[in-house]
Amino acid sequence: MYVCMDPALKLCVLLLILLGLVNGSFAENDYGRCESVVKSWARSSLDEEMTKDDKHTLRDLLFFLHVPRTGGRTYFHCFLKKLYPSYLECPRSYDKLRFDPSKPKCRLLVTHDDYSITSKLPRERTSVVTILRDPVDRVFSTYEFSIEVAARFLVHPNLTSATKMALRLSSKTKGVSTLDIWPWKYLVPWMREDLFARREARYSRGLNIIESNDSYDMEDFAMPLQEYINDPVAVDVVHNGATFQVAGLTNNSYIAEAHEVRHCVQKYKTLGKYVLQVAKKRLDEMLYVGLTEEHRKSATMFANVVGAQVISQLNAPNTSLETTDKTERSSFTDNDPDSSEHQNSTLDRGESAVTSSEGGEATEFNMTVGELMDAYEVCISNLRKAQSRRRISSLKRISPVNFTKEARLQVPEEILHKIRSLNDLDLQLYEYAKAIFNKQHKTSLLITEESWDNISGSAYGLWRVVTLAITCVFFIFLFLLIVNVRRRTSKVKK
Ligand SMILES: *[C@@H]1O[C@H](CO)[C@@H](O)[C@H](O)[C@H]1NC(C)=O
Ligand SMILES: *[C@@H]1O[C@H](CO)[C@@H](O)[C@H](O)[C@H]1NC(C)=O
Ligand SMILES: *[C@@H]1O[C@H](CO)[C@@H](O)[C@H](O)[C@H]1NC(C)=O
Ligand SMILES: *[C@@H]1O[C@H](CO)[C@@H](O)[C@H](O)[C@H]1NC(C)=O
Ligand SMILES: *[C@@H]1O[C@H](CO)[C@@H](O)[C@H](O)[C@H]1NC(C)=O
Ligand SMILES: *[C@@H]1O[C@H](CO)[C@@H](O)[C@H](O)[C@H]1NC(C)=O
Ligand SMILES: *[C@@H]1O[C@H](CO)[C@@H](O)[C@H](O)[C@H]1NC(C)=O
C-alpha cells in the first residue's frame, strides 16, 4: 500500500513544486519586466536634457508647471498676467485638444500638464518653473477642494439636473472650466456623484443623521478623508502627484510609455527611486523652484529671479516679439485651473469679472520689480478674499462639514501616517526642493539684501535719515555760530 501511495505522493509534491516555481517565476518575470521598463525610461529621461547654457537665464518660453493645490494660481494671476501681455500666452485648450503648438511665438505657458509636455515645446529654448508643497497638506487641500467645487452643484435638486446644467454651461463658456482640467475632471465629478448620493440617503432616512464633530469623518454628508485617500481614483491622480508631474508620468502624460512606468512604480515601491532620480534632476535644471509654505520668500524670489528677467526680456529693443498679431487673443481666458466657471450664481460671475479685470491688461513693459511686488500684494489679497468667500458659501451646502485649520488638527495620526506612506516619493522630493529653495534664496539674497517690497519703504527711510542729518548739522552749525558770535561780542565788550 505504501508502495502505491509513494509515487502518488511524489507526483503530488512534484506538482506542487512545479506550480510554486511557475508562480514564483511569473512574479519574478513581472518584476523583472517592470524594472527594465522603469530603468530604460529613467535612462533616456536622464540623458535627454543636457543643456549646456546657464539654467539661471530665462529662455524664450517660460513653462510654469503648475502642480495642483500649490498656490500657482496666485503667481499666474498676480505676477505672470501682469508681466506678459495676453497675446504672448500660449493658447491651450487643456484636455480637449491639450496644448496647441500652433502659436510658435508664444512666451508663456501655465498648465497642470506634466513635464512630458516639454516634448511638444522647443526644449532648448524653454525655462521651467514650479512650486511644491508639503505633500500631506497638498492631499488635504485636494480633498477639500474636490468637495468644495462639487458641493456647489448641490443647488440642483438631483444629480441628473446638476450634470445637465454643468454640460450646458461648459458648452456655453468659450474658456475652460475646472471640469475640463486634469485632475479636477476626475475628482470633481467623483465627489459630485458622491455628495448627491449621501444627500439622498440623508433625505430618505429622515432624522437619524449623525453629526460628528470631525469634518473629515462625517459620512452622512461627505466622503470621509480616509475613504478618499484609499480610493483607486486618488491613487491614480492624487498620491505622489508632484513627483509624477515633474517626472512626466501622470495619468495625463503625453508620452505613451508613461502609463506602464507609473503602474510599475505603483506596484513595486522599490522602483520609485528611479522616478525620484529623474524628478530631482529636473528640479535641479529649473529656473526657479518655489515652496507654498514659504510664501513671502517664494514670491519675492519669483519677482527677483523670474520677474526681473521677464521685464528685461520684453523690454529689450531687439526683442523678437511678433507684434503683428497683437489683436489675437489667447484662447485662454480667465478660466484657469483652480477657478471654476461652471456654477450658476451671479455672485460668482461678478467675482470672476473682478479678478479678470485686475488680473490682466496691466502690462507695461517698463514696470520695475518693486512695482511688480506692490501690484502683487494688492492682487493676492483680493484673490484670497474672493476664494475664501467662495469656499464658505460652498461649504454651507454641506454644513456642518467645515474644513478649518482647527478641524485638521483633529485628524487621527493613523490617517496622516497613511497619507505619508502613500506619498513617500513626494515627501522625498519635497525635502529636495527645500534644499534647492534655500540655495536659491541665498543666491538671490546676495543680489538684493532686502526684499523688494521694502525697497520703497527703506528708500524713503534712508531719505528721511539724510534729511534729518542735514537738518541736525545745520542746527549745530547755527548753534556754534551763535555761541561764537556771542563769545566774540562779549570779548569785545570786555
Ligand atoms: C431631477 O430634477 C428635475 C428638476 O427638478 C426633475 O425634472 C427630474 O424629474 C428629477 N429627476 C429625478 C430622477 O428625480
Ligand atoms: C469631539 O468629540 C470628542 C468626543 O466625542 C471630544 O473628545 C473632542 O474634544 C471633540 N472635539 C472638538 C473639536 O470639539
Ligand atoms: C486616469 O485616472 C482616472 C481616475 O481614476 C481614470 O478614470 C482614467 O481612466 C485614468 N486615465 C489613464 C490614461 O489611466
Ligand atoms: C538686434 O537687431 C539687429 C538688427 O535688427 C541684428 O543685426 C542683431 O543681430 C540683433 N541682435 C540680437 C541679439 O538679436
Ligand atoms: C441660475 O439659477 C437660477 C435659480 O437659482 C435659475 O432661475 C436660472 O435660470 C439659472 N441660470 C442659468 C444660466 O442656469
Ligand atoms: C513707463 O510707464 C509709465 C506708466 O507707468 C508711462 O507713463 C511712461 O511713459 C512709460 N515710459 C516708457 C519709457 O515707456
Ligand atoms: C466655517 O469656518 C469659518 C471659519 O474658519 C467660518 O467663517 C464659517 O462661517 C464656517 N462655516 C460654517 C457653515 O459654519
Side-chain angles (χ1 to χ4, degrees), residues 356-370:
S356 78
S357 65
E358 85 189 352
E361 322 318 329
T363 315
E364 293 151 20
F365 285 156
N366 70 1
M367 192 181 229
T368 66
V369 173

Side-chain angles (χ1 to χ4, degrees), residues 25-258:
S25 74
F26 180 74
E28 224 163 74
N29 272 344
D30 188 52
Y31 177 78
R33 182 189 59 82
C34 265
E35 190 181 26
S36 84
V37 164
V38 174
K39 272 180 154 174
S40 93
W41 164 82
R43 215 174 308 119
S44 68
S45 306
L46 289 172
D47 284 346
E48 78 195 1
E49 46 260 276
M50 271 288 146
T51 39
K52 275 151 225 103
D53 58 332
D54 186 11
K55 68 156 188 163
H56 299 295
T57 308
L58 174 67
R59 303 185 190 139
D60 294 341
L61 175 62
L62 178 65
F63 169 40
F64 195 125
L65 187 147
H66 183 188
V67 178
R69 307 314 290 166
T70 55
R73 176 172 145 77
T74 60
Y75 285 72
F76 173 66
H77 264 286
C78 301
F79 276 132
L80 297 170
K81 266 186 113 54
K82 294 194 185 305
L83 288 168
Y84 287 92
S86 50
Y87 67 90
L88 289 179
E89 272 175 39
C90 301
R92 45 191 186 150
S93 30
Y94 279 106
D95 291 280
K96 283 172 190 156
L97 289 164
R98 312 188 86 189
F99 175 67
D100 168 11
S102 66
K103 213 170 130 188
K105 287 280 156 74
C106 62
R107 298 295 195 96
L108 173 68
L109 179 67
V110 185
T111 73
H112 281 328
D113 280 302
D114 70 25
Y115 199 91
S116 65
I117 198 181
T118 59
S119 63
K120 304 258 186 271
L121 306 174
R123 206 174 252 155
E124 64 293 348
R125 292 198 290 114
T126 303
S127 289
V128 188
V129 297
T130 197
I131 299 174
L132 294 187
R133 181 177 191 176
D134 175 77
V136 177
D137 288 335
R138 202 181 78 83
V139 170
F140 267 94
S141 181
T142 306
Y143 167 76
E144 292 166 7
F145 190 69
S146 332
I147 292 181
E148 179 196 322
V149 176
R152 292 180 194 146
F153 289 94
L154 290 172
V155 286
H156 298 285
N158 56 48
L159 185 61
T160 328
S161 88
T163 320
K164 238 190 255 166
M165 184 58 72
L167 278 175
R168 235 178 54 204
L169 282 180
S170 160
S171 63
K172 253 199 244 165
T173 48
K174 270 208 198 133
V176 189
S177 93
T178 307
L179 290 176
D180 300 318
I181 296 163
W182 184 90
W184 308 114
K185 66 172 183 174
Y186 297 122
L187 297 175
V188 172
W190 174 38
M191 282 302 105
R192 182 174 62 193
E193 200 172 309
D194 181 79
L195 286 180
F196 273 99
R198 286 177 207 263
R199 184 170 78 176
E200 240 129 70
R202 234 167 31 233
Y203 285 174
S204 64
R205 213 143 32 95
L207 293 171
N208 293 324
I209 291 154
I210 302 151
E211 294 187 9
S212 79
N213 63 4
D214 180 358
S215 284
Y216 295 91
D217 185 19
M218 230 185 278
E219 60 178 354
D220 281 336
F221 294 87
M223 182 182 286
L225 177 63
Q226 186 163 25
E227 193 180 333
Y228 184 93
I229 59 171
N230 287 310
D231 194 280
V233 175
V235 172
D236 270 345
V237 300
V238 178
H239 301 311
N240 284 327
T243 307
F244 286 140
Q245 206 170 333
V246 172
L249 290 179
T250 63
N251 154 295
N252 186 40
S253 181
Y254 281 83
I255 50 171
E257 62 180 324

Side-chain angles (χ1 to χ4, degrees), residues 320-458:
S320 60
L321 302 183
E322 284 279 288
T323 43
T324 44
D325 62 350
K326 258 190 187 179
T327 45
E328 188 191 323
R329 278 323 213 199
S330 79
S331 67
F332 169 74
T333 55
D334 190 44
N335 307 325
D336 57 291
D338 294 351
S339 80
S340 354
E341 300 303 318
H342 58 267
Q343 64 276 64
N344 168 27
S345 139
T346 46
L347 177 73
D348 284 328
R349 292 242 173 79
E351 272 172 11
S352 69
V354 167
T355 32
S356 78
S357 65
E358 85 189 352
E361 322 318 329
T363 315
E364 293 151 20
F365 285 156
N366 70 1
M367 192 181 229
T368 66
V369 173
E371 283 163 2
L372 177 63
M373 240 6 242
D374 290 345
Y376 175 77
E377 296 291 336
V378 175
C379 173
I380 192 174
S381 105
N382 289 341
L383 207 61
R384 290 229 168 108
K385 272 183 220 143
Q387 275 167 354
S388 132
R389 264 201 308 273
R390 268 188 167 183
R391 183 183 172 100
I392 287 172
S393 84
S394 162
L395 290 182
K396 261 189 201 136
R397 304 192 190 289
I398 47 169
S399 173
V401 171
N402 197 2
F403 302 124
T404 59
K405 282 198 191 89
E406 298 73 44
R408 273 195 198 185
L409 296 176
Q410 305 281 318
V411 173
E413 176 55 34
E414 175 201 345
I415 293 178
L416 301 181
H417 181 78
K418 184 74 202 243
I419 294 176
R420 278 184 223 115
S421 92
L422 287 164
N423 289 274
D424 57 329
L425 298 178
D426 273 12
L427 280 168
Q428 294 175 68
L429 192 68
Y430 183 65
E431 286 306 313
Y432 193 74
K434 278 204 261 188
I436 294 180
F437 182 81
N438 289 330
K439 238 189 290 169
Q440 263 178 355
H441 186 58
K442 275 194 199 116
T443 322
S444 79
L445 273 190
L446 289 180
I447 303 166
T448 45
E449 274 296 320
E450 262 293 302
S451 59
W452 276 103
D453 45 333
N454 285 335
I455 268 242
S456 53
S458 62

Side-chain angles (χ1 to χ4, degrees), residues 232-298:
V233 175
V235 172
D236 270 345
V237 300
V238 178
H239 301 311
N240 284 327
T243 307
F244 286 140
Q245 206 170 333
V246 172
L249 290 179
T250 63
N251 154 295
N252 186 40
S253 181
Y254 281 83
I255 50 171
E257 62 180 324
H259 305 293
E260 198 179 5
V261 175
R262 189 182 63 256
H263 290 144
C264 279
V265 170
Q266 284 166 338
K267 199 162 164 194
Y268 303 108
K269 280 206 159 193
T270 56
L271 297 177
K273 60 176 183 276
Y274 301 107
V275 176
L276 206 57
Q277 206 183 351
V278 172
K280 283 179 178 175
K281 177 161 177 278
R282 293 207 170 137
L283 285 189
D284 279 335
E285 285 172 359
M286 286 184 189
L287 172 63
Y288 165 90
V289 176
L291 299 178
T292 309
E293 283 74 15
E294 298 277 3
H295 178 260
R296 277 199 79 77
K297 269 194 206 168
S298 293

